[in-house]
């Protein structure tokens, strides 16, 4: 099973004071294992307190082995034969002087730590145990002697477990009576404290089945005797009186009684002595008597079947001894698994007194189920006592007050013990610490008193029945912390008094213990890993060892336990500050401490501990999330005791921290924690920052390599220097932190967004400082590298690690979230500072490259060329950043951010065109095309392709070498084909921007002449109202679609044309085209009767609309040509408008100047040849006062206004317009003067009436009616019918104007209406209007009669009413065929 160690680590042995030996061991004959012969008279040095201190100078040691063969034969059952002689022996150097100060390092490896304790792997482990980590073995560690013991079926190995060497001097004993079968119980053994004549402990080994006992008084002398092959008479023996099938299950050292207590599987117990009354080595045993079984003769001797009723009282769970204050005696207590307690006082030589036998089962169960709600749900019959320990006595009062235990009894007749009990069901186990005061059977007090009951909630794993060691309970001084050791875990449980609080007071009042510290240290799930032994290390406190002055070899400052772990070695679990558990702020197990342990120590592959077992220490997902975020931030800032401010290799430091961040997520996953989405993203973003830090550091090293020796300060160092002090942590120069750059990468990675944003700021500040061009070029290039590599690598890292961070379901585009930003903070990669400065850097780099780079130049700066090559990548990075920022802000619940999100969205829409097109200026054609496609910027795609094609054509026109012409032509053909391919792929989404750029850049000719596409060009032109004039040309030339060309012109003329002359031409051409198309025989023949009918109706409607518009245009043309043109023909250049306004100015009160503004605006538009809308033209016709010399050259202005209303308005709009026309016509005359007929004859009155505008209006209307060609019968409104128009509401022109403006217009309308009402009421306007109409119609009839009688053809008649009457008939000429 085990093979002899090839060497015993003698080179690292510690010096120690030596003791006198009877014989000197011989130096080995061979110098094979040593470089030189050892010095003469070299002596072994026994262990003392300094043995376990790391030596400054390691002495030489040597191992001497037996001459027997090192390999042994194996029996068929797997148990080794006992070789005749096989030992490990080391020679040691002389002892060091006590005055020599040694190193404090112990060489241990830290496996885990938290606020409460450390777990360290001790370096000392015999080579034999290292080589064989799978064999059956168990053992113990004894801090009093400083040695550990490991027992297998064939060997016992003893070594100083706390020595700082990896291969300590070890003592291997071949057992003289090894086990016969591998299934036999392992031997039981114990170390014996060294005698006065020895520095090393002794060893007792008991074979469980045979009862053979072997005793070595001193491990060093035992190996010497064995090596010298001397006889070992008197130190071997056997247990007399063992039953058949009975085995030894425990052995403990009863120090004061100078012997050992043995426990048997039958329930019996015996006292084992290894010396006789004279102190000579001799093995003898005496069985202890109890009243549980049948008695036998004699007080001493065996008691047959003493504990035969195991079903009732259970197997012996544990036996412990307590040192007595009296010399030569001790107290021994045994507990059965069923809850029976037995105590004896044992004297030297085996004499003993039975103190108590108590069945505490019912009392313990009742107390457990009363105090602990969890235990109350478990069956009482499942109670098991797993282990117990004595409560240390003799503590200072301050420590006694710190714990929850009862005061230790003064009498040694009472035993103060702490039980490890359990209740269980098929589904769960519940461990509990139970304090018990056990009184003697002769005491008047109750034999058992239950004190503290301390449930263990952090650990509930059932003990393994096949484990190599049973569960152990330790309560080290000063009685504040209990250690529970299982086969794969150790539990630390505080029994200190918790700080006072109202909650704790309520719990105490209800007989419940408030929650105190609990934690578990677990081993990995590995068949080789198992806790096979343990031991305790107590601090030196008052009362400890005071009785005899003997001091333990191992004296820690705080309590600790030592765990012997098969497959790993010896581990020490030590508290960091035991008194803190009784302070006002005791240590707490939090989600962060558990996660911290897993992260910093779980990354080590060789760590035997595991950190993903939750046990009863369960935290909420929110607690784990907060802990993960806090820990992630600490890793970024290297905060906490796990980090150093010094990083010799920054990249190694960052990689280690990256491993920690990955471990956070793997630990979260293994624990089954469901983090919320926000937390997962924040953790991923933190990891991105650290990853980017590593990228930037490598960039910095690349930059410094490329830079000249005189200028090694890269932009990375410049950025760290320029960042404001409040935005970074300052290095502590007093502590030697002088490298500001490395300090930033160690401490400030969490502010990565500020670092990246500052790259542009550094260039800006240096350019202001008039930095030379070469240095500035270098900085611009490095900044471009920073922006490109940092953010791009962050996006790449994000995509690759979505699954690790539980975000595999998220949809990303170009490394950013495609949607669903709701609830998320703004990603660090799109911080507004970054977005702004990346944009500035793109613009700066582009301009710098344009100034210093040319495709025709041969001598170009390398950095300029590299910067040009980086422009496309940096442009894409910028667009992605802005897109991410806009999406994030638009999803925010913050109104300000939402508004900013709209702003950034607009910036993205603008820049995904402008910044991509900017790449064409540096001839990054292909990259620009790719980016345009990625960001779906088809206008930019169209422009870049068009520019590239135009550039290739320009090269061909300028003339190239013959060998170059073919290349350029091939490329040109390829690009043109690429354009056609994009037409097929993207359709109009690409075609429309393409034609838009072609038209705006190269004009109409280039647009109409482009022959690469016909379908989308026509579609583009037909969807652009502003290009209707070009569209109808394309319809005729390209499409030969006269009908659509006509419709295009008509739509343009009817709805969009603003110039009156253009409108007239477009309508006329459109009408002509429609007439021509409808007259084509082919078109008529292809239509059905129904289609022809519908088409004819439609055509009639369109022609009617054209005629109406032409009528309005005719009215406007008449007004301009007969009234305006004569005026402006004599005006100076630039003064036409002022002269027209002066000639036709309104004469109204100044308070109603708003009406003048309306009139002047219409007049200006008429002068500019705008096509006036009907309402504006009506205002102009009804307000203008025509000069007498030009008035006769156009038809009546009010009749013209009526024509406009009938041809341009419908429904209520027309009615209101007619009322306005009539009201203004009525107001043209001074009816107060006309109404005063005093001293006037009839002819004078009729003559004055015939000169009014109202008379002319009536004449024109009647003449137009009598003519017969006009089917419309225009209404004649009375003054009362015209009154009230637009006094409450205005026409549609004023709907969207300001309220104050509308109020002013209403005020004018009310003023007009008031004047009309005054004329009606005071000047008989109603009667005068009727009379005027009558005389006007009579005059027209008379004129027609005279013309008929004279037989004159179409000559203007003259009547006695004078010029005014005759002009009424002339006014009808040319108007809608009335002549």
């Amino acid at each position: 099973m085990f093979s002899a160690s090839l060497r015993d680590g003698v080179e690292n042995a510690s010096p120690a004071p030596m003791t006198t030996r009877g014989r000197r061991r011989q130096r080995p004959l061979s110098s094979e294992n040593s470089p030189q012969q050892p010095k003469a008279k070299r002596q072994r040095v026994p262990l003392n307190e300094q043995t376990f201190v790391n030596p400054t100078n390691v002495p030489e040691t040597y191992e001497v082995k037996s001459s027997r063969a090192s390999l042994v034969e194996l029996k068929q059952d797997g148990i080794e034969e006992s070789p005749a002689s096989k030992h490990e022996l080391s020679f040691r150097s002389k002892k060091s002087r006590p005055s020599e100060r040694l190193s404090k390092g112990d060489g241990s490896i830290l496996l885990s730590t938290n606020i409460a304790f450390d777990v360290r792997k001790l370096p000392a482990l015999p080579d034999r145990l290292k080589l064989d980590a799978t064999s059956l073995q168990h053992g113990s560690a004894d801090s009093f002697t400083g040695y550990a013991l490991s027992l297998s079926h064939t060997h016992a190995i003893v070594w100083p477990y706390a020595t700082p060497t990896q291969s300590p001097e070890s003592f291997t004993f071949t057992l003289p009576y090894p086990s016969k079968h591998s299934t036999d119980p392992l031997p039981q053994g114990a170390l014996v404290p060294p005698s006065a004549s020895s520095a090393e402990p002794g060893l007792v080994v008991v074979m469980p089945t045979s009862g053979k006992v072997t005793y070595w008084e001193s491990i060093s002398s035992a190996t010497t005797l064995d090596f010298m092959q001397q006889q070992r008479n008197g130190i071997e023996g056997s247990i007399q009186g063992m039953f058949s099938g009975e085995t030894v299950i425990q052995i403990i050292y009863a120090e004061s009684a100078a012997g050992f207590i043995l426990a048997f599987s039958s329930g019996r117990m015996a006292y084992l002595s290894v010396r006789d009354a004279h102190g000579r080595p001799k093995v003898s045993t005496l069985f202890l008597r109890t009243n549980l079984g049948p008695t036998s003769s004699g007080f001493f001797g065996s008691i047959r079947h003493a504990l035969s009723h195991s079903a009732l009282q259970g197997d012996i769970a544990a036996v412990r001894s307590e040192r007595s204050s009296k010399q030569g005696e001790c107290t021994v207590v045994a507990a059965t698994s069923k809850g029976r307690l037995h105590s004896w006082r044992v004297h030297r030589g085996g004499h003993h007194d039975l103190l108590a036998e108590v069945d505490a089962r019912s009392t313990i169960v009742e107390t457990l189920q009363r105090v602990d709600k969890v235990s109350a749900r478990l069956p009482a019959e499942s109670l098991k006592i797993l282990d117990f320990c004595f409560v240390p006595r003799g503590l200072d009062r301050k420590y006694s007050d710190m714990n929850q235990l009862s005061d230790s009894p003064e009498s040694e007749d009472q035993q103060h013990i702490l039980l490890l009990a359990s209740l269980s069901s098929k589904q769960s186990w519940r461990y509990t610490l139970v304090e018990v005061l056990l009184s003697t059977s002769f005491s008047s007090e109750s034999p058992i008193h239950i004190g503290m009951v301390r449930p263990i909630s952090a650990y509930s794993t059932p003990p393994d029945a096949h484990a190599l060691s049973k569960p152990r309970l330790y309560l080290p001084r000063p009685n504040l912390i209990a250690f529970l050791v299982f086969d794969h875990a150790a539990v630390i449980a505080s029994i200190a008094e918790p700080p006072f609080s109202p909650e704790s007071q309520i719990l105490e009042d209800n007989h419940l213990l408030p929650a105190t510290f609990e934690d578990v240290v677990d081993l990995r799930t590995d068949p080789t890993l198992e806790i096979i032994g343990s031991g305790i290390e107590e601090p030196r406190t008052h009362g400890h060892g005071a009785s005899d002055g003997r001091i333990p070899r191992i004296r820690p400052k705080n309590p600790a336990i030592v765990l012997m772990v098969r497959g790993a070695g010896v581990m020490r679990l030590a508290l960091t500050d035991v008194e803190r558990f009784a302070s006002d702020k005791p240590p707490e197990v939090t989600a962060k401490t558990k996660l911290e342990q897993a992260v910093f120590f779980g990354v080590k592959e060789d760590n035997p501990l595991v950190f993903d077992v939750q046990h009863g220490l369960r935290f909420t997902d929110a607690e784990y999330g907060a802990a993960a975020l806090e820990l992630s931030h600490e890793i970024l800032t290297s905060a906490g005791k796990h980090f150093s401010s010094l990083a010799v290799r920054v990249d190694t430091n960052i990689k280690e921290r990256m491993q920690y961040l990955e471990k956070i997520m793997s630990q979260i996953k293994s624990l089954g924690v469901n983090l919320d989405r926000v937390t997962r993203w924040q953790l991923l973003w933190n990891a991105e920052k650290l990853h980017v830090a590593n990228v930037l550091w490598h960039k910095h090293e690349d930059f410094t390599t490329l830079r000249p020796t005189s200028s090694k300060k890269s932009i990375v160092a410049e950025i760290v220097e320029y960042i404001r002090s409040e935005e970074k942590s300052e290095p502590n120069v007093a502590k030697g932190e002088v490298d500001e750059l490395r300090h930033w990468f160690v401490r400030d990675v969490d502010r990565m967004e500020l670092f990246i944003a500052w790259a542009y700021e550094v260039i800006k500040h240096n350019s202001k400082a008039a930095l030379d061009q070469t240095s500035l070029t270098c900085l611009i290039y490095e900044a471009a590298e920073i922006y490109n590599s940092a953010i791009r690598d962050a996006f790449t890292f994000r995509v690759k690690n979505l699954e690790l961070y539980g975000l595999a379901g998220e949809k990303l585009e170009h490394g950013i979230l495609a949607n669903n930003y709701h609830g998320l903070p703004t990603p660090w990669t799109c911080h507004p500072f970054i977005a702004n400065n990346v944009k500035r850097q793109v613009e700066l780099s582009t301009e710098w490259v344009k100034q210093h780079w040319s495709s025709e130049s041969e001598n170009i700066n390398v950095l300029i060329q590299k910067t040009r090559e980086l422009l496309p990548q940096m442009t894409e990075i910028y667009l992605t950043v802005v897109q991410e920022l806009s999406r994030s802000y638009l999803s925010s619940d913050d109104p300000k951010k939402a508004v900013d999100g709209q702003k950034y969205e607009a910036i993205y829409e603008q820049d995904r065109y402008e910044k991509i097109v900017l790449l064409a200026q540096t001839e990054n054609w292909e990259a620009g095309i790719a980016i345009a496609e990625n960001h779906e910027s088809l206008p930019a795609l169209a422009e870049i392709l068009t520019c590239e094609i135009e550039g290739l054509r320009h090269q061909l026109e300028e003339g190239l070498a013959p060998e170059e012409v073919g290349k350029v032509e091939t490329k040109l053909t390829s690009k043109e084909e690429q354009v056609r391919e994009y037409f097929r792929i993207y359709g109009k989404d690409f075609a429309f921007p393409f034609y838009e750029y072609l038209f705006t850049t190269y004009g109409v000719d280039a647009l109409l002449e482009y022959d690469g596409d016909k379908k989308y060009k026509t579609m583009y032109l037909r969807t652009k109202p502003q290009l209707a004039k070009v569209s109808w040309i394309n319809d005729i030339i390209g499409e030969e679609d006269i009908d659509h060309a006509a419709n295009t012109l008509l739509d343009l003329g009817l709805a969009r044309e603003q110039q009156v002359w253009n409108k007239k031409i477009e309508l006329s051409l459109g009408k002509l085209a429609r007439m021509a198309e409808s007259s084509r025989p082919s078109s008529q023949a292809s239509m059905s009767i129904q289609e022809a009918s519908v088409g004819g109706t439609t055509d009639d409607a369109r022609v009617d609309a054209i005629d109406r518009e032409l009528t309005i245009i005719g009215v406007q043309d008449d007004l301009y040509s007969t009234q305006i043109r004569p005026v402006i023909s004599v005006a100076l250049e630039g003064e036409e408008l002022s002269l027209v306004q002066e000639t036709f100015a309104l004469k109204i009160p100044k308070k109603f100047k708003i009406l003048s503004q309306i009139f002047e605006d219409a007049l200006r538009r008429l002068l500019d040849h705008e096509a006036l809308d009907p309402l504006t033209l009506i205002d102009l016709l009804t307000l203008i006062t025509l000069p007498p010399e030009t008035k006769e050259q156009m038809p009546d202005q009010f009749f013209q206004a009526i024509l406009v209303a009938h041809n341009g308005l419908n429904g209520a709009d027309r009615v209101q317009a007619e009322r306005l026309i009539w009201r203004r016509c009525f107001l043209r005359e001074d009816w107060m003067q006309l109404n005063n007929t005093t001293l006037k004859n009839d002819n004078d009155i009729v003559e004055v009436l015939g000169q009014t505008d109202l008379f002319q209006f009536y004449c024109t209307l009647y003449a137009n009616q009598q003519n017969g060609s006009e089917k419309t019968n225009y209404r004649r409104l009375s003054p009362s019918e015209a009154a009230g128009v637009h006094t409450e509401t205005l026409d549609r022109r004023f709907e969207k104007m300001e309220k104050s403006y509308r109020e002013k217009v209403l005020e004018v309308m009310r003023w007009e209406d008031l004047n009309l009402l005054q004329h009606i009421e005071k000047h008989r306007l109603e009667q005068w209007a009727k009379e005027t109409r009558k005389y006007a119609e009579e005059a027209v009839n008379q004129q027609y009669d005279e013309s008929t009688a004279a037989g004159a053809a179409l000559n203007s008649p003259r009547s006695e009413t004078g010029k005014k009457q005759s002009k009424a008939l002339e006014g009808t000429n040319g108007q809608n065929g009335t002549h």
Side-chain angles (χ1 to χ4, degrees), residues 8-27:
D8 198 24
V10 294
E11 296 176 0
N12 297 325
S14 301
M18 76 174 184
T19 57
T20 304
R21 301 295 182 191
R23 283 180 63 90
R24 181 77 56 199
R25 285 178 288 179
Q26 298 300 314
R27 184 174 293 116

Side-chain angles (χ1 to χ4, degrees), residues 90 122 137 152 158 249 617 671 692 703 755 766 776 794 989 1007 1011 1062 1131 1185 1316 1323:
S90 298
L122 302 182
Q137 54 184 296
S152 68
V158 182
I249 59 174
L617 297 172
L671 293 175
V692 168
F703 295 157
F755 179 95
N766 277 279
L776 200 56
D989 293 336
L1007 177 62
D1011 58 357
N1062 293 348
T1185 302
L1316 179 63
H1323 309 126

Side-chain angles (χ1 to χ4, degrees), residues 723-742:
I723 295 176
R724 291 190 292 268
S725 58
E726 63 268 19
E727 295 175 346
K728 62 183 178 182
S729 61
E730 294 293 336
N732 191 339
V733 180
K735 293 183 178 180
E737 298 174 357
V738 294
D739 191 337
E740 189 175 12
L741 177 61
R742 289 175 182 268

Side-chain angles (χ1 to χ4, degrees), residues 482-526:
F483 296 101
L484 288 68
V485 181
F486 298 90
D487 57 317
H488 275 81
V491 181
I492 304 94
S494 170
I495 57 173
E497 281 285 354
F500 177 79
S501 66
E503 292 80 6
S504 64
Q505 184 63 47
I506 294 173
L507 291 172
E508 288 181 5
D509 293 343
N510 288 276
H511 304 287
L512 299 175
L513 284 177
T516 54
F517 182 89
E518 277 185 35
D519 204 356
V520 183
V521 176
D522 289 282
L523 294 182
R524 283 201 326 261
T525 304
D526 188 328

Side-chain angles (χ1 to χ4, degrees), residues 1255-1274:
F1255 181 85
Q1256 179 69 25
F1257 190 15
Y1258 277 133
C1259 287
T1260 306
L1261 286 172
Y1262 187 71
N1264 195 71
Q1265 178 181 342
Q1266 292 300 106
N1267 186 279
S1269 60
E1270 176 61 51
K1271 298 179 181 180
T1272 305
N1273 186 14
Y1274 302 109

Side-chain angles (χ1 to χ4, degrees), residues 656-723:
E656 288 178 355
R657 289 190 280 162
M658 283 297 298
Q659 290 179 353
Y660 295 149
L661 292 181
E662 291 175 4
K663 183 60 180 177
I664 290 178
M665 293 314 301
S666 62
Q667 181 68 10
I668 289 293
K669 184 177 181 180
S670 66
L671 293 175
V673 177
N674 184 23
L675 297 180
D676 61 83
R677 181 170 179 260
V678 174
T679 301
R680 291 182 184 276
W681 272 109
Q682 288 177 320
L683 291 172
L684 176 55
W685 291 336
N686 283 347
E688 291 171 8
K689 291 181 180 180
L690 200 53
H691 172 75
V692 168
N694 193 38
V695 173
L696 292 179
W697 181 256
H698 285 293
K699 287 293 178 184
H700 163 70
E701 292 190 327
D702 293 342
F703 295 157
T704 54
T705 301
L706 295 174
R707 282 174 168 263
T709 308
S710 58
S711 178
K712 288 293 183 182
K713 194 173 186 180
S714 75
I715 194 171
V716 177
E718 292 269 10
I719 291 172
V720 173
E721 183 178 319
Y722 271 88
I723 295 176

Side-chain angles (χ1 to χ4, degrees), residues 51-62:
T51 303
F52 309 101
V53 182
N54 191 24
T56 53
N57 297 315
V58 180
E60 299 175 358
T61 59
Y62 300 89

Side-chain angles (χ1 to χ4, degrees), residues 1 48 87 114 136 153 219 269 279 294 297 456 496 639 671 888 995 1069 1164 1185 1306 1348 1351 1366:
M1 180 179 65
N48 66 0
H87 307 283
N114 60 22
L136 296 177
H153 283 295
I219 55 175
M269 297 177 60
S297 59
I456 302 297
L671 293 175
S888 175
Y995 286 119
L1069 287 175
R1164 176 189 59 76
T1185 302
L1306 284 172
T1348 302
S1366 65

